[in-house]
Amino acid sequence: MDWLGEAGLSAPESVNTTLDLPCGTSVLRLGQQEVLLTAPPGGSGARLRELRNAWHDSELPAKGYEAYRDEGWAWFVISGPAAPALMRRISMADLRPESLKPAHLAQTRALHLDAVVARFDRFGAVSYDIFFDIASAGFALDVLTETAAGTNADFQMAALHPAE
Amino acid sequence: MTERLPLPWGSRLDRTRKIRFEFDGWPLEGFAGDCIASAMAGTGRWILSRSFKYHRPRGILTMAGQDANTLVQLPDEPNVRADLRPIAEGLKVTAQNVSGTAEHDRGAVLDRLGRFMPVGFYYRSFFRPGAKSWLKFWEPMIRKSAGLGKVDPAAGRGHYIKENLHTDVLVVGAGPAGLSAAIKAAEAGAQVLLVDLNPELGGALTYARFGLEPAEAEATLKTLREAAEKLGNLRVLRGATCNGWFADNWLPVLQGEMLYRVRAKQVVVAAGSHEQPLVFRNNDLPGILLSSAAQRLMRHYAVRPGQRAVVFAGNRDGYLTALDLLDAGVSLFAVLDPAADVSGKILAQRLIERGVRIIPNATVTEALGAGGNRHIRAIRFNTPEHGTELLDCDHLVVAAGYTPCYQLPLHAGAKLGFDEASRQFVLSNLPEAFHVAGSAAGYFDLKSVLRSGEVAGAAAAQGAGHACVHPDIIPDASAPKMNYLQDLSPHPKGRDFVDFDEDLQIKDIKNAVSDGYSELELVKRYSTVGMGPSQGRHSALATARIVARETARKVGEVGITTSRPPFGPEKLGLLAGPNHVPYRHTAMHAEHVAGGAKLAPVGAWWRPLHYAGKRDVKKVIWDEVTLVRDRVGMLDVSTLGKLAIRGPDAAAFLDRIYTMAHARQPVGRVRYCLMLNDMGSVIDDGVAFRLSETEFYVTATTGAVARVFADMLFLNTQWGMQVDIQNVTAAFAAINVTGPAARKVLEALGGDIDLSPDGFPYLNGRSGVIGGCPARIMRIGFTGELSYELHVPQSFGASHWRKLLEAGAPFGLQPYGLEASRILRLEKGHIIIGQDTDALSTPDELAMGWALSKAKARYVGKTGVEARGRLGLKRKLCGFELPEGHGIRLAESCLVLRDGRPVGFVTSTCLSPTVHKWIGLAYADPRDATPGSSLRIRGLCGKELEARVVPTPFYDPENQRQEM
């Protein structure tokens, strides 16, 4: 948190909340001293790389430690009017829109995995960003595909690549 | 098909659609909306099954899916409740527990042998005539006839779905009380989920008249349905059963092949009550049914229960059903009332006005059956004035009282007592956030029932955080008169069934007490009362009363046996499915598949066992071993646990966790880590690479890393050291390049790391770039050859694998799998945690005392391992060898013997392609575990032989090859 302050970046006040920086980077507060920074999905990763380099170069003693989430976590987004219905089938947590409001997140279980689920309401609809173990990505995709098909809501799969 | 009642009877039927089905091979016809039982009754077929022990004909009792009489078999599904399951075109239904058919069951002969089967007879029988009679004769016979229903292993797979629901208020039961509760809570703003077993809302309002004229009940039903329909925050699940209560208001709701896992802030149970049968001789005959069953048959399915009725009216509902029977055109011969004086009963007067004979002070003593007890034909009843009389009838309707649906409340911790004044079971000690309404709470008069629902709904809404005005309860004058408690003296000729499921009579319960089982829990287990499919719904009260009488106690003191989930039947598929088996892939998974690897699960990870493709597997594995020994091989070790330990106290923290000294480990060095539990048993091992003064990169075994990570976090919560601990296992791909040419391969990749022997000695680590990829590399030895373990960010894993193969091609580099890896490490004498160790293995048993720091004041397990060291060794792991053609089936777990007794076992063994002998590790008596001694090993074939104990490692004992 000290480094965020030094870099002039805002951080959500409470654990399990998020905010979007003016540059488009999202800040997810996972703990008293743990944040996850994400680039806009499908957007440019340049700003995030700048921030990472700045963090690496910082000599602040209490700047914290790298948790390697960019390597260790997979990142899926489920969006659309049927998103809450799909979430009901993949997680036992109360992720109803009225319970998990935008700019909030839950550190819970989904898709039979430990997961971070955040409401960002991307693409103009209710949406959930889900972060989980990268090694389980294939399994998670299988579960999502099968479960989505069972909702008869015509979910479509797409891969969001960075803009550059 | 017999004539059905005209409209408006038959609310569930679509008379425009006829449906054909079969029962026991007989073609039958019903209407869409019929259930199996109603369609059969509509054709005059009343026998649905045969009883468990005596194979007596059984028919409709409750028409509510609450009794075992209606369990039938479908081709792919056993134990289907015929009074709930709709008929379908072409449905083939058969009876269960029969030798033949329901109508003609050869097993019926057992009904005549009852005297040879008294309660608990199976504990004393089946031991004669000979010592092996049980195993050879009786057991096969009993096994063949035991059980209910048949499973078809070839049945098509079901498609089961689980969904998680969260709600403010869950209301169980959509009868008048449940609907009132749900509407009240929803009107207060709560999110409400209303669950009911039936396809239509209304519960008893859909079949019972509640008063002289049915108009009030009909109007109430209409009003409630319309009100519920308008509320957008009230969701209804029909055809659904709430099957249990678990901690914190977590309740499973089953609907077809869907399992809803519901978490509710508040629960209202308005599940009604179970009507109770009368106990008298032959009280189980087809044609004897409860009053609510008769009403359901008529109102829901337009089926008359018969043509010539007798009603036993132990309460108001008997009279109301009698009125229904008259309205349906049934000839009602008499209403038997156990009360001495009926002159004050308006309902009785109304029946008299309609020409019905009311007989006060009456008790039913016996039912008589026609044609092998296939159907009731008459009843005997007794009055003090006239003695015993006979009444012809083709059905007897019984209204003798109720027990509340206590199951869910008891799951939630409520207590069930018995109120002597009102003669009913009463629930108390309800937990917070849990409410009961309607007849389950002891209300029977319609206004009281509705009001009790409103009260419960208001309380639930308020509990969920929604303001709501609480109405007052309306006292119920009917309640104390609803339960008739008959005299439960046994009939001299028996067959007065207390428990229909288990064919238990009054004398069976009495005899259980006489045999010494005076507590209800023992009576249950000795007699099996309440243990059948209906789980005591119709036997609990009678049993408690009999035991109370026989032991001179009150019913409240005897109680009932507790109720646990599930409330009703639930398919294993619902619990299991959908069937998602987790798997994890390394970053190089696609490379292994493309390379012809045979992959196998190791926990959730899929790892390559070998790369044989279509070639001979054994030869390929040997070739992979030789590849590593002679040239160079590469193994995907990405699954190994990886932990980032960073901070000012990182070194001190590792010192406490592991047995070796890490605090003074130089930067750039790699040191072995051994982890113990508090008992001093080995639980994991790995290596720690010191990256800086404050940073370590630690490996753990694939299977234990999650536990090690959790233990580290837990311990540091107590220690409060300044250290950050991260499980980065999946973030890094790892490849072990091993063999005499390993250095040449890495040099060919290029990079900024000095790979010379002096620049990068054994048990050192380096960080830098290699092959264009950031990497941490450690020189460690698992195979016994020159080895480099490369750790790269997992997004580089696949490309790095390909680059290695390209760079290593001139040196013969190929991948190898786990099978070869296991042989290589065994040749080097390295243990595998969990294979060569068990829950009791200490470092001393493993000859790893060298890994226990003598200088450290503390580490996890130090006290334990030192204390166990003082006790002396009882076993020791040692190496052994045998010639190639030793002649026994040697494998892991083969016993090691001393003086004919087992003293240990083989943990690892293989035929070594390198030393051309059978080698292995085994636990043995410490006196035998020294090189030069011998071990006696018993093979899986039973043959024994002596194996020579040898020092380990079996290969390159001077470690020259791995340290070059």
Side-chain angles (χ1 to χ4, degrees):
Chain A
M1 303 308 293
D2 288 354
W3 178 78
L4 284 174
E6 183 196 64
L9 304 172
S10 303
E13 272 194 31
S14 309
V15 176
N16 291 335
T17 59
T18 72
L19 60 78
D20 290 328
L21 298 174
C23 61
T25 302
S26 297
V27 184
L28 290 75
R29 187 152 186 186
L30 303 181
Q32 292 298 343
Q33 293 292 335
E34 184 175 353
V35 291
L36 176 73
L37 304 180
T38 65
S44 169
R47 174 62 179 151
L48 203 60
R49 282 193 292 275
E50 272 176 32
L51 289 172
R52 155 168 268 151
N53 291 338
W55 179 83
H56 270 296
D57 293 341
S58 169
E59 290 181 0
L60 188 69
K63 72 174 182 180
Y65 302 97
E66 162 90 73
Y68 307 105
R69 301 298 185 206
D70 57 323
E71 290 288 339
W73 277 0
W75 180 10
F76 284 18
V77 179
I78 295 174
S79 67
L86 181 53
M87 296 307 291
R88 284 202 297 269
R89 293 208 177 169
I90 64 169
S91 178
M92 288 181 73
D94 187 359
L95 303 174
R96 294 175 292 168
E98 61 267 37
S99 299
L100 185 70
K101 297 186 172 29
H104 283 72
L105 64 91
Q107 298 183 68
T108 181
R109 282 187 62 85
L111 301 162
H112 308 286
L113 304 163
D114 292 342
V116 174
V117 179
R119 272 285 299 279
F120 281 105
D121 283 0
R122 302 186 191 281
F123 318 124
V126 173
S127 81
Y128 299 86
D129 287 37
I130 311 179
F131 303 88
F132 54 88
D133 167 49
I134 186 77
S136 303
F139 167 70
L141 194 56
D142 288 348
V143 173
L144 265 176
T145 309
E146 183 189 322
T147 308
T151 63
N152 297 317
D154 198 26
F155 277 96
Q156 305 289 321
M157 291 292 177
L160 284 176
H161 297 290
E164 80 289 325
Chain B
M1 204 190 302
T2 61
E3 189 192 339
R4 299 285 186 114
L5 290 164
L7 289 168
W9 303 98
S11 63
R12 294 187 182 176
L13 297 184
D14 175 1
R15 299 181 203 233
T16 66
R17 285 202 297 139
K18 286 192 180 162
I19 294 183
R20 286 177 295 265
F21 70 106
E22 282 180 25
F23 181 79
D24 277 350
W26 279 95
L28 297 170
E29 200 173 73
F31 292 112
D34 259 324
C35 61
I36 297 169
S38 65
M40 287 179 62
T43 65
R45 297 183 74 96
W46 292 91
I47 302 177
L48 290 166
S49 66
R50 291 281 177 152
S51 69
F52 181 56
K53 196 158 70 174
Y54 300 132
H55 287 244
R56 292 169 62 91
R58 291 282 166 83
I60 290 168
L61 179 68
T62 66
M63 271 310 283
Q66 299 299 322
D67 64 272
N69 289 356
T70 66
L71 294 179
V72 295
Q73 174 86 38
L74 300 189
D76 59 353
E77 193 179 343
N79 298 317
V80 171
R81 289 170 286 179
D83 50 354
L84 293 182
R85 182 66 62 96
I87 54 172
E89 188 66 34
L91 190 67
K92 289 180 170 26
V93 187
T94 50
Q96 297 187 155
N97 200 43
V98 296
S99 298
T101 65
E103 284 288 332
H104 301 284
D105 176 18
R106 293 185 292 280
V109 66
L110 289 167
D111 197 16
R112 300 199 194 128
L113 303 175
R115 82 177 103 119
F116 301 112
M117 295 188 279
V119 67
F121 76 98
Y122 30 81
Y123 299 116
R124 298 182 285 269
S125 312
F126 310 125
F127 298 108
R128 288 186 279 271
K132 292 195 178 163
S133 297
W134 162 247
L135 210 52
K136 299 282 185 200
F137 179 66
W138 295 111
E139 195 265 355
M141 187 197 301
I142 292 169
R143 183 169 296 283
K144 200 169 167 218
S145 60
L148 267 183
K150 288 185 174 49
V151 171
D152 176 11
R157 291 177 72 96
H159 180 60
Y160 299 98
I161 300 173
K162 286 179 178 150
E163 187 165 310
N164 304 288
L165 297 179
H166 294 260
T167 190
D168 286 337
V169 179
L170 170 67
V171 179
V172 181
L179 273 167
S180 298
I183 291 164
K184 187 75 174 174
E187 284 174 346
Q191 290 291 327
V192 179
L193 181 65
L194 176 60
V195 170
D196 194 274
L197 178 60
N198 294 286
E200 52 183 336
L201 298 184
L205 285 171
T206 66
Y207 59 82
R209 62 202 285 154
F210 282 96
L212 274 171
E213 302 302 331
E216 186 193 356
E218 287 163 7
T220 302
L221 178 60
K222 186 166 182 289
T223 304
L224 287 172
R225 281 180 174 172
E226 284 171 359
E229 183 76 21
K230 287 193 189 114
L231 290 159
N233 53 335
L234 170 52
R235 179 178 175 183
V236 178
L237 291 177
R238 292 178 183 75
T241 303
C242 180
N243 226 30
W245 178 96
F246 297 87
D248 298 325
N249 277 355
W250 189 96
L251 303 99
V253 173
L254 316 182
Q255 187 186 47
E257 294 190 330
M258 192 88 163
L259 166 59
Y260 290 102
R261 299 188 283 204
V262 180
R263 180 79 70 185
K265 289 182 188 163
Q266 300 276 325
V267 173
V268 175
V269 171
S273 38
H274 297 301
E275 196 168 13
Q276 297 298 295
L278 266 184
V279 184
F280 52 87
R281 177 169 161 75
N282 292 329
N283 61 334
D284 65 327
L285 298 184
I288 300 176
L289 59 169
L290 301 175
S291 66
S292 54
Q295 290 177 311
R296 286 176 208 259
L297 262 181
M298 293 188 289
R299 285 241 151 66
H300 292 165
Y301 304 108
V303 174
R304 290 185 189 85
Q307 299 297 332
R308 306 184 312 278
V310 172
V311 172
F312 179 86
N315 58 33
R316 159 206 84 183
D317 289 343
Y319 285 100
L320 293 173
T321 308
L323 287 170
D324 283 330
L325 288 166
L326 287 177
D327 289 346
V330 173
S331 297
L332 180 52
F333 288 171
V335 172
L336 306 177
D337 192 325
D341 181 10
V342 303
S343 59
K345 295 187 180 181
I346 297 173
L347 292 170
Q349 298 311 310
R350 178 62 66 92
L351 286 170
I352 291 169
E353 288 163 14
R354 291 177 71 168
V356 176
R357 180 184 170 202
I358 310 292
I359 305 173
N361 234 344
T363 52
V364 178
T365 58
E366 182 177 359
L368 304 176
N373 280 339
R374 285 188 173 78
H375 205 82
I376 187 174
R377 65 172 174 84
I379 59 147
R380 278 204 181 90
F381 69 95
N382 196 56
T383 59
E385 297 82 6
H386 303 289
T388 302
E389 292 182 55
L390 191 71
L391 267 177
D392 284 344
C393 62
D394 66 359
H395 62 288
L396 171 68
V397 173
V398 169
Y402 300 89
T403 58
C405 255
Y406 53 72
Q407 288 80 1
L408 286 179
L410 259 58
H411 299 170
K415 300 280 180 236
L416 191 71
F418 189 78
D419 181 56
E420 297 285 340
S422 63
R423 297 175 296 182
Q424 31 179 358
F425 280 131
V426 174
L427 287 162
S428 64
N429 200 45
L430 293 173
E432 254 188 81
F434 195 100
H435 316 271
V436 182
S439 64
Y443 298 99
F444 294 90
D445 180 69
L446 183 57
K447 285 190 170 45
S448 302
V449 165
L450 292 168
R451 180 55 64 85
S452 77
E454 289 174 32
V455 168
Q462 192 160 52
H466 302 274
C468 195
V469 173
H470 275 245
D472 292 323
I473 284 288
I474 296 176
D476 185 347
S478 312
K481 302 174 205 159
M482 292 305 287
N483 270 8
Y484 162 64
L485 296 188
Q486 65 173 116
D487 173 18
L488 287 168
S489 300
H491 192 283
K493 291 186 185 173
R495 295 299 183 265
D496 42 10
F497 293 101
V498 171
D499 187 317
F500 294 129
D501 295 2
E502 303 287 318
D503 273 345
L504 290 168
Q505 306 157 79
I506 293 177
K507 68 179 178 188
D508 293 319
I509 307 300
K510 277 189 56 153
N511 289 342
V513 177
S514 306
D515 284 349
Y517 301 102
S518 55
E519 292 306 321
L520 192 68
E521 295 285 351
L522 298 176
V523 170
K524 169 187 168 180
R525 283 152 180 80
Y526 183 65
S527 68
T528 75
V529 69
M531 291 174 71
S534 63
Q535 290 286 289
R537 281 161 175 62
H538 308 110
S539 61
L541 179 55
T543 303
R545 291 184 59 220
I546 295 167
V547 172
R549 182 188 65 210
E550 296 299 313
T551 58
R553 287 181 289 171
K554 292 198 163 82
V555 172
E557 290 169 306
V558 171
I560 62 158
T561 56
T562 195
S563 180
R564 296 191 179 88
F567 167 75
E570 57 191 16
K571 291 186 184 177
L572 292 176
L574 276 169
L575 303 178
N579 194 22
H580 296 142
V581 180
Y583 63 83
R584 299 176 83 185
H585 288 168
T586 72
M588 285 84 84
H589 183 83
E591 304 298 322
H592 303 320
V593 172
K598 163 74 177 166
L599 290 146
V602 179
W605 290 102
W606 281 73
R607 301 192 69 181
L609 294 181
H610 54 75
Y611 291 80
K614 291 191 186 337
R615 296 171 291 158
D616 179 81
V617 171
K618 193 174 165 198
K619 183 177 184 314
V620 164
I621 293 171
W622 274 51
D623 287 347
E624 288 179 5
V625 173
T626 308
L627 166 78
V628 170
R629 291 279 176 243
D630 293 350
R631 297 188 299 287
V632 57
M634 54 195 256
L635 175 69
D636 180 359
V637 293
S638 302
T639 67
L640 286 182
K642 306 168 201 74
L643 299 157
I645 311 293
R646 299 161 296 191
D649 291 337
F653 177 77
L654 290 182
D655 247 19
R656 289 197 191 185
I657 294 286
Y658 294 109
T659 61
M660 294 186 71
H662 298 282
R664 295 208 200 107
Q665 179 177 336
V667 174
R669 289 294 295 272
V670 173
R671 189 160 286 177
Y672 181 68
C673 296
L674 189 68
M675 187 169 177
L676 311 180
N677 62 16
D678 285 330
M679 261 178 53
S681 296
V682 173
I683 58 172
D684 202 43
D685 71 353
V687 296
F689 170 20
R690 190 164 196 168
L691 292 160
S692 74
E693 286 300 319
T694 57
E695 184 171 354
F696 286 80
Y697 184 67
V698 179
T699 67
T701 61
T702 300
V705 63
R707 184 248 172 107
V708 170
F709 177 53
D711 281 356
M712 285 183 172
L713 291 174
F714 177 69
L715 287 166
N716 197 44
T717 305
Q718 301 167 60
W719 297 337
M721 301 175 87
Q722 285 191 69
V723 60
D724 180 81
I725 307 158
Q726 291 285 346
N727 182 348
V728 295
T729 299
F732 290 89
I735 303 168
N736 193 26
V737 180
T738 178
R743 184 176 287 124
K744 292 194 173 78
V745 172
L746 265 58
E747 284 168 347
L749 270 181
D752 62 3
I753 298 175
D754 178 1
L755 297 165
S756 66
D758 292 332
F760 195 165
Y762 179 63
L763 288 182
N764 271 251
R766 297 290 181 263
S767 299
V769 175
I770 189 152
C773 172
R776 293 168 183 174
I777 309 179
M778 294 181 280
R779 270 199 68 183
I780 47 183
F782 196 56
T783 64
E785 300 298 333
L786 172 64
S787 298
Y788 295 88
E789 197 168 284
L790 281 67
H791 291 238
V792 301
Q794 66 83 27
S795 58
F796 286 88
S799 63
H800 205 60
W801 181 271
R802 289 192 293 271
K803 280 184 190 168
L804 271 167
L805 280 173
E806 192 182 325
F811 309 102
L813 176 66
Q814 293 286 320
Y816 68 97
L818 275 186
E819 296 285 6
S821 175
R822 290 188 181 127
I823 295 173
L824 289 161
R825 67 92 199 175
L826 182 57
E827 289 175 344
K828 202 57 192 158
H830 289 307
I831 61 166
I832 291 180
I833 302 290
Q835 176 162 339
D836 303 299
T837 69
D838 57 29
L840 295 175
S841 302
T842 63
D844 290 325
E845 287 180 355
L846 303 171
M848 291 179 73
W850 53 265
L852 303 176
S853 167
K854 306 284 186 292
K856 291 198 300 188
R858 60 182 287 191
Y859 54 84
V860 176
K862 179 176 165 77
T863 308
V865 77
E866 287 174 352
R868 290 171 71 185
R870 288 191 288 274
L871 293 174
L873 284 180
K874 293 213 170 28
R875 62 176 190 175
K876 197 165 177 188
L877 193 73
C878 60
F880 67 87
E881 66 179 25
L882 282 162
E884 201 167 320
H886 53 68
I888 68 168
R889 265 186 67 206
L890 182 60
E892 286 87 10
S893 80
C894 282
L895 293 176
V896 173
L897 309 172
R898 190 177 219 267
D899 298 330
R901 288 172 31 253
V903 292
F905 57 94
V906 174
T907 62
S908 298
T909 188
C910 72
L911 176 58
S912 161
T914 307
V915 303
H916 302 291
K917 290 179 196 171
W918 270 87
I919 59 174
L921 298 172
Y923 282 105
D925 187 290
R927 292 168 288 183
D928 299 330
T930 49
S933 303
S934 66
L935 302 182
R936 187 144 191 92
I937 298 178
R938 179 183 292 165
L940 296 180
C941 52
K943 287 192 209 163
E944 297 174 12
L945 48 59
E946 301 287 327
R948 198 161 72 93
V949 178
V950 294
T952 56
F954 304 92
Y955 168 76
D956 185 27
E958 305 302 320
N959 294 331
Q960 288 175 343
R961 294 179 69 86
Q962 73 187 15
E963 294 179 18
M964 57 198 272

